[in-house]
Amino acid sequence: MINRQVVLAAHPQGVPVADDFRLVTAPVPSAGPGQMVVRNLYLSLEAAIRSWLDGTANYFEPIALGGAIRGPSIARVETSQLLGFEPGDLVFGLHHWEDYSLSDGNTVLLRKLTPNPALPLSWYAGALGGSGQTAYVGLHRIGGIKPGETVLVSAAAGATGSMACQIAALEGCRVVGIVGADDKAEVVLKELGAHAVVNYRKEPDLAAALARTCPEGVNVYFDNVGGATLDAALMAMAQGGRIVGCGMISDYNNAATPTPLYNLWQVVERQLKMQGFLLYSYLDDLPAASAALESWLLSGKLKAMENITQGLPEAGAAYSAMMAGTTQGKNLVAVGEG
C-alpha cells in the first residue's frame, strides 16, 4: 500500500495558494512499541496551520519544505501497540494531511472518540471538536459571560465564531457579529442567533459602527481576527470588559509585518482584561464543554455549519479558499480512499 501525503511545496507569500502544496506518495508507516497507525478520515482545516508554513518556530516547530502538513484529524486505528487503543477505535489528534499517520501517547490532543450514532462523525472535528470546545471554553473560562451582557464576535461566520455566536445567545447574551460579506451577515443573523451584525467591509469607520451597534459597550469581545478589528473593538468595550484572544487570522498571512494597534491605552482607561488561550491548556474543561455541546446539538438548539471538501488531493486548494476568507463554518477534507 502507498500513503498519499500533502506536503509543503513552498512557503506561502501572503494568502496560501494551491501550488504551495503538493501531493506525494510514501510508504505506509509501521507501528512500533507504544505506537499505532491510524487511517485519517477527516482533516480539520485550522487557521493556526498558517503560522507553521513560514519556516519560523512559534508554539510549534515549523513544517519543513517537503514535509507533510500537520493538522488535526478524525482517524480510525488500523494497527496498535499503544496501550488503551485497539484496531477499529475512532480517535482525534494532531496528525498529518495523509492517508495513514503514526500516532503515540505524545500526540497532541489525542483522545478516543465515542461518537453518538445520532450525530455525523465529521461534527467531532468541528461543532463537537476544537471549534465548539474553543468557543465554549473561551466564552466561559476566559470571557466569563453572564446573561444580559453584550458579546461581540469577529469572524462570526467562521468555524469557531459561528459556535461562539450561538453559545453566547443560548446563554442569554446579546450577540453582535462582525463579518466581511453580506451572505455571511445573513447567516449570522438568521441562523446563528445574533441580534445584530456589522460588515466591516462596508464601514469606513469600524470603531464608530461598533459604538453605534453596541451603545452600552461590549462586555466580552471574542476575537478571532486581531489587527484593525481588534483595534476598533478596543474603542467599543465597556468598563471592565473582557477580551478573549482566540486567534488573529488577519495577520496570519503577513506575520512578518503585523498590523499595529493604536488603541491599547483603552485596556488601562476602561480597566479591561485581555487574555489569549490555546485549547490544549484547558483539557480539564473539555468533558463539560462536550456534554453541553452534544446536548444542544441533539436538541436542535445549536447548528453545526460545515464545508466539506472531498478528497485528499484537494486539501491544499480547500485550505487556500479558507484562508482567503471565502468559506463559512467549519472547513474539513474527507480523505477518501487512496
Side-chain angles (χ1 to χ4, degrees):
M1 292 194 300
I2 61 169
N3 187 28
R4 299 175 303 167
Q5 297 179 321
V6 177
V7 303
L8 183 62
H11 296 303
Q13 302 300 310
V15 178
V17 298
D19 286 346
D20 293 327
F21 307 93
R22 183 172 66 248
L23 187 71
V24 301
T25 59
V28 174
S30 299
Q35 297 178 323
M36 60 181 176
V37 173
V38 301
R39 175 69 162 92
N40 291 306
L41 304 175
Y42 290 100
L43 306 180
S44 176
L45 303 187
E46 307 287 344
I49 293 171
R50 178 63 183 83
S51 66
W52 306 337
L53 305 180
D54 287 333
T56 56
N58 51 26
Y59 59 92
F60 275 109
E61 287 299 311
I63 297 170
L65 289 175
I69 304 300
R70 180 195 309 125
S73 74
I74 294 174
R76 181 181 62 243
V77 176
E78 295 291 296
T79 62
S80 177
Q81 296 189 48
L82 178 60
L83 186 64
F85 293 86
E86 302 293 336
D89 286 347
L90 292 170
V91 299
F92 183 88
L94 188 64
H95 298 120
H96 291 89
W97 291 4
E98 56 189 355
D99 288 313
Y100 298 92
S101 290
L102 200 59
S103 194
D104 60 32
N106 294 318
T107 297
V108 175
L109 298 176
L110 180 65
R111 70 182 190 276
K112 190 182 295 186
L113 298 177
T114 52
N116 187 319
L119 300 173
L121 179 61
S122 59
W123 287 9
Y124 288 84
L128 281 167
S131 303
Q133 292 165 344
T134 296
Y136 188 95
V137 171
L139 288 170
H140 291 90
R141 278 295 300 271
I142 314 302
I145 58 171
K146 302 178 184 66
E149 291 189 318
T150 294
V151 176
L152 178 67
V153 181
S154 57
T160 302
S162 64
M163 298 299 292
C165 285
Q166 294 180 86
I167 293 169
L170 286 169
E171 298 280 3
C173 299
R174 178 176 185 265
V175 179
V176 178
I178 302 175
V179 298
D182 286 343
D183 60 337
K184 294 181 179 182
E186 186 174 1
V187 168
V188 171
L189 276 175
K190 294 184 177 180
E191 299 184 36
L192 303 184
H195 301 82
V197 66
V198 175
N199 183 344
Y200 72 88
R201 296 187 190 275
K202 288 189 167 182
E203 298 293 344
D205 186 338
L206 180 57
L210 294 178
R212 186 172 65 248
T213 310
C214 307
E216 297 182 4
V218 173
N219 303 110
V220 176
Y221 172 41
F222 195 101
D223 184 24
N224 294 301
V225 173
T229 304
L230 170 59
D231 213 33
L234 284 164
M235 299 302 298
M237 298 300 295
Q239 280 286 330
R242 291 88 71 195
I243 298 174
V244 181
C246 178
M248 295 192 171
I249 195 171
S250 67
D251 281 330
Y252 288 172
N253 293 321
N254 57 300
T257 55
T259 305
L261 298 180
Y262 300 100
N263 297 322
L264 274 178
W265 169 249
Q266 298 305 315
V267 174
V268 177
E269 183 175 318
R270 304 183 191 217
Q271 302 183 78
L272 308 177
K273 292 181 180 179
M274 183 174 179
Q275 180 183 339
F277 78 106
L278 299 171
L279 185 61
Y280 66 73
S281 295
Y282 293 86
L283 297 181
D284 290 344
D285 292 88
L286 298 191
S290 296
L293 293 166
E294 182 170 316
S295 174
W296 283 329
L297 285 163
L298 284 169
S299 67
K301 294 179 179 178
L302 196 61
K303 175 183 176 64
M305 290 178 57
E306 288 186 312
N307 180 35
I308 300 179
T309 298
Q310 298 294 326
L312 182 62
E314 302 303 316
Y319 189 74
S320 301
M322 183 185 81
M323 294 304 294
T326 62
T327 61
Q328 298 179 21
K330 178 62 189 176
N331 289 275
L332 301 165
V333 172
V335 175
E337 297 300 323

